[in-house]
Amino acid sequence: MKKAYYLFNPGRLSRQDNTLKFQPIDENGNEGQPRYIPVETVDNIYCFGSLDANSAMYNFLGKNHIGVHFFDYYEHYTGSFMPKEYLLAGKMQVEQTKYYISSKKRMVVAQKFVSGGAANMLKNLQYYNNRQKDVAKQIKSIEGYIEKINTSSQIDELMGIEGNIRQTYYEAFDVIINDFEMGNRTKQPPNNEVNTLISFGNMMCYTLCLDQIYHTQLNPTIGFLHEPGYRRYSLALDIAEIFKPILVDRTIFSLLNKKQIQSNDFRHEMNRCVMKDSARKTFAQAFDEKLKETFKHRSLGRNVSYKHLVKLECYKLSKHLLGIDEYKPFKMNW
């Protein structure tokens, strides 16, 4: 079974027959023990340290449909190497573009992304509210905002509603999480431990969605809620809205409340909070385990993993754009 590999140390990536060889190199140029990875077991590679690899290496990765995602020193996502879009189809490209150009059709799809994300945020709050975490105020407020989603007529208006929902949702984090305070949501840079984990987790979710889109006929550059840009995959941002509460926020709640990540796993530099390698490794492992976790999908009547669930979401959107079936975003119902 293919899986993601996380490279936290700087080093050199090379090919040895059909095996990837990662040679870690410390800050003084000393080589550590190499690690050998059979290429058929690799799904994606996440690089958090400096990676030395030549064009022949990337050609090899591309032929094996392996994506490489890069993060800088401050855990910011900086970009991806994605193999050639081997599944892109002209008809899907045309239909996806038509939906974006039509303000009415675009609005319908954008509203579904917001309603799906809001429903999953609400489900998280209801879960904790039933476990002696009083977030009833935030639940009521979000329920009011949800009623306004389908009455919105402009993308800017819809984005404003989504922003209000998320701000209210984040207000509940200080109640849900023990021993840490989030305060206001800060991104550039995150100023405390919770904000740092959110930013890191959201980028992990974004790259996951990008990878799953790549395995469909959808074009990741044409989004509906988020405006397409020159340097980002806006459709991945759209789909991530649905899954951040499920994959990222629940992972954060669990790691902090179970004390698997503690305050000494971070360091403060100037006006920013940075994760140490210990926290990044712990979070990456927990996130990976969450993706492998399975549950009984009510519509399909069988068990599916959360990772496969993201791909199913892409397929559902594809069917909607092709006029086959109405798109209904995934909403937690447990």
Side-chain angles (χ1 to χ4, degrees):
M1 181 179 177
K2 290 190 173 185
K3 63 179 182 179
Y5 285 84
Y6 302 88
L7 305 181
F8 293 98
N9 298 319
R12 184 184 306 112
L13 189 66
S14 59
R15 174 186 178 181
Q16 188 167 312
D17 297 323
N18 279 332
T19 299
L20 297 178
K21 176 186 176 182
F22 179 67
Q23 179 72 65
I25 302 173
D26 66 21
E27 57 186 14
N28 296 318
N30 300 315
E31 296 184 348
Q33 187 70 27
R35 181 177 182 183
Y36 297 90
I37 308 168
V39 70
E40 62 271 13
T41 68
V42 184
D43 186 18
N44 283 273
I45 298 174
Y46 292 81
C47 297
F48 298 95
S50 175
L51 182 68
D52 180 14
N54 59 26
S55 59
M57 181 74 256
Y58 285 107
N59 283 332
F60 180 61
L61 293 172
K63 289 177 181 178
N64 286 278
H65 309 298
I66 296 172
V68 186
H69 309 288
F70 298 95
F71 299 79
D72 67 13
Y73 173 80
Y74 294 111
E75 297 99 30
H76 295 143
Y77 169 77
T78 56
S80 297
F81 164 79
M82 298 297 293
K84 184 179 179 181
E85 299 93 342
Y86 64 101
L87 291 180
L88 278 183
K91 182 174 177 58
M92 175 60 73
Q93 180 93 355
V94 170
E95 295 302 320
Q96 191 173 346
T97 303
K98 283 182 178 178
Y99 262 81
Y100 170 74
I101 292 174
S102 169
S103 58
K104 183 177 180 180
K105 289 184 176 181
R106 178 187 177 186
M107 193 67 189
V108 169
V109 178
Q111 287 171 337
K112 291 181 182 295
F113 287 132
V114 176
S115 65
N120 293 329
M121 284 185 262
L122 196 60
K123 205 70 178 179
N124 278 350
L125 297 187
Q126 291 168 342
Y127 173 87
Y128 282 97
N129 196 63
N130 291 333
R131 284 159 178 77
Q132 288 73 53
K133 299 284 189 178
D134 185 9
V135 291
K137 177 183 175 182
Q138 287 80 9
I139 289 174
K140 183 177 180 180
S141 181
I142 289 176
E143 287 173 338
Y145 286 125
I146 288 176
E147 293 177 358
K148 299 178 181 180
I149 291 174
N150 289 333
T151 62
S152 58
S153 58
Q154 300 292 329
I155 294 295
D156 287 348
E157 179 187 1
L158 181 61
M159 289 289 283
I161 295 171
E162 190 276 336
N164 287 330
I165 291 172
R166 192 160 293 279
Q167 181 178 350
T168 304
Y169 173 63
Y170 284 142
E171 289 174 0
F173 276 38
D174 283 345
V175 178
I176 295 172
I177 298 172
N178 302 326
D179 303 325
F180 287 89
E181 289 186 6
M182 174 182 171
N184 295 325
R185 176 72 177 114
T186 57
K187 303 178 183 179
Q188 297 178 346
N191 63 359
N192 60 38
E193 296 87 351
V194 178
N195 274 292
T196 298
L197 286 171
I198 293 172
S199 294
F200 184 70
N202 286 351
M203 288 186 294
M204 296 288 286
C205 187
Y206 168 78
T207 54
L208 166 70
C209 293
L210 173 60
D211 179 64
Q212 296 308 302
I213 292 170
Y214 168 75
H215 289 90
T216 71
Q217 294 181 342
L218 292 167
N219 188 319
T221 66
I222 304 174
F224 302 96
L225 177 63
H226 294 88
E227 196 72 32
Y230 293 104
R231 300 178 62 186
R232 66 177 180 177
Y233 300 101
S234 54
L235 186 60
L237 292 171
D238 287 354
I239 294 175
E241 292 295 329
I242 296 170
F243 293 101
K244 286 188 291 187
I246 304 169
L247 302 177
V248 178
D249 301 337
R250 286 205 162 196
T251 299
I252 292 172
F253 299 154
S254 176
L255 289 174
L256 293 182
N257 286 346
K258 291 180 179 179
K259 300 184 184 300
Q260 291 174 270
I261 291 180
Q262 301 185 40
S263 58
N264 59 6
D265 289 310
F266 301 84
R267 62 177 176 272
H268 293 269
E269 300 178 357
M270 300 294 287
N271 63 336
R272 71 171 67 235
C273 180
V274 180
M275 299 169 69
K276 295 181 181 178
D277 281 350
S278 56
R280 291 191 292 182
K281 291 177 181 178
T282 300
F283 187 95
Q285 182 179 357
F287 187 79
D288 211 41
E289 290 173 354
K290 182 67 176 178
L291 296 185
K292 296 175 185 175
E293 186 180 320
T294 62
F295 68 98
K296 185 68 172 290
H297 195 291
R298 291 190 178 183
S299 299
L300 297 178
R302 61 182 173 85
N303 287 339
V304 300
S305 68
Y306 282 100
K307 182 175 183 179
H308 187 61
L309 183 66
V310 179
K311 184 184 290 186
L312 290 176
E313 199 71 14
C314 297
Y315 286 142
K316 288 193 299 180
L317 178 60
S318 298
K319 289 182 178 180
H320 179 90
L321 299 178
L322 293 173
I324 298 173
D325 201 4
E326 180 186 0
Y327 173 56
K328 296 179 181 179
F330 176 78
K331 299 177 181 180
M332 290 188 292
N333 52 16
W334 60 86

